[in-house]
Amino acid sequence: MASCFASIYVISMNDGSKTLLAASDDSYYFFAWPVWSPDGKWISYINVPSGITSTFEDSLYMTATGCLEKPQTCPGEMKGPVSRPKYAFRGPMAWSPDSSFLAVFDGTHVVKNILQVVNIRGNSRRTLMDDLSASGMVWLSGGQIVFDQDEHIVKVDPGQDDMTVLANLDGVVIGAVLIGQ
């Protein structure tokens, strides 16, 4: 196999063995922000252009974790692109509790983030909110998506259009680690 610019591996906590899940042998893009689905059946990730001269678009991909039983099959099990962004996907992502949807941020350094929900079975997506300055995200078992927004931690219900402030913070949030319930 060609040397890889950026790859995603699954590493065993028991013996340290690693299984290649996705690999790029092209220096124009890399894989980022892997997230394991709650049902354990999928790992989603985004391929990201590595520079402004890249002709590749970033896209959402998934690999079925069943391939881990036969590790050599994993790179061939990549499914996607499941969804392409309007602007550029920004990590991290969050799975819905039933593993049917992914919440993703779509935006650029010029365009503020759009919170979108991607239906992985229907390859469709819908916009929940836009004009966000968000980065960290978690999808709670009760159905709400929680993320940082400027100086606040907020939640939104995918079935509604309003955002609820959970906490006010001092200063701008650069990044957040949110732990689901």
Side-chain angles (χ1 to χ4, degrees):
M1 182 171 107
S3 62
C4 295
F5 180 73
S7 304
I8 295 177
Y9 289 90
V10 175
I11 300 172
S12 169
M13 297 301 290
N14 295 329
D15 63 10
S17 63
K18 63 183 181 179
T19 300
L20 179 65
L21 196 67
S24 167
D25 58 2
D26 191 319
S27 62
Y28 290 110
Y29 69 97
F30 61 94
F31 293 106
W33 299 298
V35 182
W36 212 292
S37 66
D39 65 7
K41 295 180 180 178
W42 295 97
I43 296 175
S44 62
Y45 44 92
I46 295 172
N47 78 322
V48 181
S50 62
I52 57 174
T53 60
S54 174
T55 58
F56 292 94
E57 295 180 22
D58 62 341
S59 302
L60 175 63
Y61 285 84
M62 299 175 2
T63 297
T65 58
C67 75
L68 297 173
E69 299 298 320
K70 295 181 181 176
Q72 68 277 11
T73 67
C74 286
E77 293 293 318
M78 183 168 41
K79 175 183 174 187
V82 175
S83 185
R84 293 191 188 275
K86 180 176 180 180
Y87 300 105
F89 283 137
R90 314 281 277 215
M93 301 177 284
W95 281 92
S96 65
D98 67 358
S99 301
S100 296
F101 300 92
L102 274 164
V104 296
F105 291 123
D106 185 356
T108 69
H109 65 286
V110 176
V111 178
K112 286 195 169 188
N113 286 331
I114 300 167
L115 175 59
Q116 295 187 331
V117 173
V118 176
N119 178 339
I120 63 159
R121 292 181 177 87
N123 292 347
S124 63
R125 67 173 179 236
R126 66 185 171 94
T127 298
L128 291 184
M129 310 192 89
D130 58 12
D131 200 31
L132 300 171
S133 298
S135 58
M137 175 175 18
V138 65
W139 199 322
L140 302 176
S141 61
Q144 302 87 10
I145 299 170
V146 177
F147 56 93
D148 62 282
Q149 168 62 15
D150 291 326
E151 297 180 5
H152 312 289
I153 300 296
V154 299
K155 73 175 178 177
V156 62
D157 186 318
Q160 300 180 12
D161 292 334
D162 59 332
M163 187 167 42
T164 304
V165 175
L166 299 175
N168 292 315
L169 307 172
D170 294 327
V172 176
V173 176
I174 300 299
V177 175
L178 302 171
I179 301 170
Q181 54 191 27

